[in-house]
Amino acid sequence: MHRILTSRIEEDRVALTPEDFHHLVRVLRLREGDEFEAVTGDGHRFLCRLERAGTAWWGRIQRAAYDPRESPFRIHLAPALIKWERFEWILQKGVELGVASFHPILSERTSSTRHGGYCPRKLERWHRILQEALKQCGRGCLPRLEEPTPLAAVLERLAKHPIVFLDENTHRPLQQRVEELVGCQECLLLVGPEGGWDERERTLVRMKGVPPVGLGPRILRAETAAVAASTILQYSLGDLGRGISTPETPGESEREKPIED
Ligand code: SAM
């Protein structure tokens, strides 16, 4: 099912932006009468049929559902900034894996020459990556993305959540932390940069009473570690591979509820 992310729901139809029109009609070659799905990013989804009158196109709503497809376990992923394309890969895979929010870390070892080029336009690009990933995987809710900040600010922002601190310099396995988190509904997952955590950062987290945990004897690239740990947490405590059906269209959902005005 082809999808657009929109805020333009008008009674029984969805208005198309020029970008939506380009994507659906020019790129995907949808024709009048073809179906597509419009998601609003807050859990609502609308099955639509493409209609036109002259040069104007819109989607006529066939069915509406509230079907967010969110995991019951909310991972707040805080990866240190790494090389841009690898960082962006974390964002894309994180959306697919159901990460609830992203908190990029300007870590002590975030190299200023390789990563210093951070600017607000990056954030816009990252938002687009999240949106594209959401459309591709059929997720209903758009994860939050914060501006990059030092580790101390991330710890403060998410102070009430249990922490999973990934560090390759430990023998304590992630599994132990997973067992401690049974019954919790969310966690803050910290992943270091290419050069690893600085001692000051380790101390900051240790002061929270959180021991680091490891992903086995091999050193993973930062982006591999972020995706592997999110996968393990989501599998152990969330909805990955847990038998929750993921219907293709709103009408097939057992969770379907009528949308109220
Ligand atoms: N300091 C290391 C070095 O330069 O040899 C590498 C750091 S690693 C590439 C980047 C981050 O991924 C680490 O800070 C940690 O958060 C995570 N990581 C990688 N492998 C890990 C492992 N085996 N266990 C736990 N965390 C790991």
Side-chain angles (χ1 to χ4, degrees):
M1 175 67 61
H2 298 300
R3 264 174 221 102
I4 59 167
L5 179 63
T6 187
S7 57
R8 304 176 66 164
I9 308 296
E10 299 169 353
E11 297 191 352
D12 63 344
R13 62 181 223 168
V14 175
L16 301 182
T17 62
E19 294 75 32
D20 295 333
F21 169 78
H22 180 80
H23 180 66
L24 292 172
V25 178
R26 297 266 178 263
V27 178
L28 298 173
R29 305 232 162 247
L30 261 56
R31 293 283 163 254
E32 226 181 324
D34 287 347
E35 289 187 338
F36 67 95
E37 190 177 47
V39 294
T40 50
D42 60 0
H44 295 283
R45 52 184 76 231
F46 302 85
L47 178 67
C48 300
R49 184 159 291 145
L50 199 58
E51 287 184 356
R52 71 181 289 188
T55 55
W57 293 72
W58 60 87
R60 178 76 59 193
I61 296 173
Q62 308 296 303
R63 277 197 296 265
Y66 179 70
D67 181 12
R69 301 186 194 173
E70 287 300 284
S71 171
F73 187 71
R74 296 174 58 77
I75 300 169
H76 304 285
L77 177 58
L81 286 187
I82 53 174
K83 250 180 143 189
W84 297 132
E85 73 263 22
R86 293 183 183 165
F87 183 78
E88 291 174 358
W89 190 79
I90 295 178
L91 295 177
Q92 186 193 61
K93 298 302 155 208
V95 174
E96 294 170 33
L97 290 167
V99 164
S101 65
F102 295 92
H103 305 262
I105 299 176
L106 285 166
S107 74
E108 298 282 344
R109 293 194 181 149
T110 293
S111 146
S112 57
T113 46
R114 285 165 87 188
H115 314 292
Y118 172 76
C119 62
R121 283 186 53 194
K122 280 269 176 241
L123 209 61
E124 283 169 32
R125 179 179 157 84
W126 295 346
H127 275 293
R128 284 201 301 278
I129 289 171
L130 299 188
Q131 291 169 1
E132 287 307 315
L134 172 131
K135 287 193 274 182
Q136 183 274 326
C137 74
R139 191 170 165 180
C141 292
L142 195 62
R144 201 171 83 236
L145 168 65
E146 297 287 347
E147 272 203 59
T149 50
L151 175 62
V154 172
L155 293 176
E156 202 178 308
R157 187 186 310 141
L158 295 158
K160 65 175 179 3
H161 301 310
I163 297 172
V164 176
F165 181 46
L166 285 189
D167 192 347
E168 65 285 1
N169 296 330
T170 180
H171 293 298
R172 192 174 194 259
L174 172 63
Q175 179 61 27
Q176 270 186 36
R177 191 69 182 128
V178 166
E179 283 163 16
E180 289 164 6
L181 293 180
V182 170
C184 295
Q185 284 166 350
E186 41 201 327
C187 82
L188 165 60
L189 172 58
L190 301 170
V191 187
E194 288 105 335
W197 296 110
D198 176 270
E199 264 326 301
R200 278 165 292 190
E201 291 167 327
R202 289 197 171 96
T203 308
L204 261 185
V205 181
R206 213 177 301 123
M207 278 160 52
K208 300 262 169 207
V210 179
V213 287
L215 285 166
R218 291 173 297 281
I219 296 176
L220 310 180
R221 281 182 186 265
E223 69 274 23
T224 314
V227 167
S230 300
T231 305
I232 292 166
L233 288 166
Q234 205 62 282
Y235 177 73
S236 310
L237 303 163
D239 65 357
L240 203 62
R242 292 258 156 181
I244 295 171
S245 69
T246 50
E248 178 65 14
T249 59
E252 291 159 21
S253 168
E254 282 175 10
R255 290 159 283 170
E256 182 177 359
K257 293 186 205 105
I259 304 289
E260 283 161 20
D261 288 338

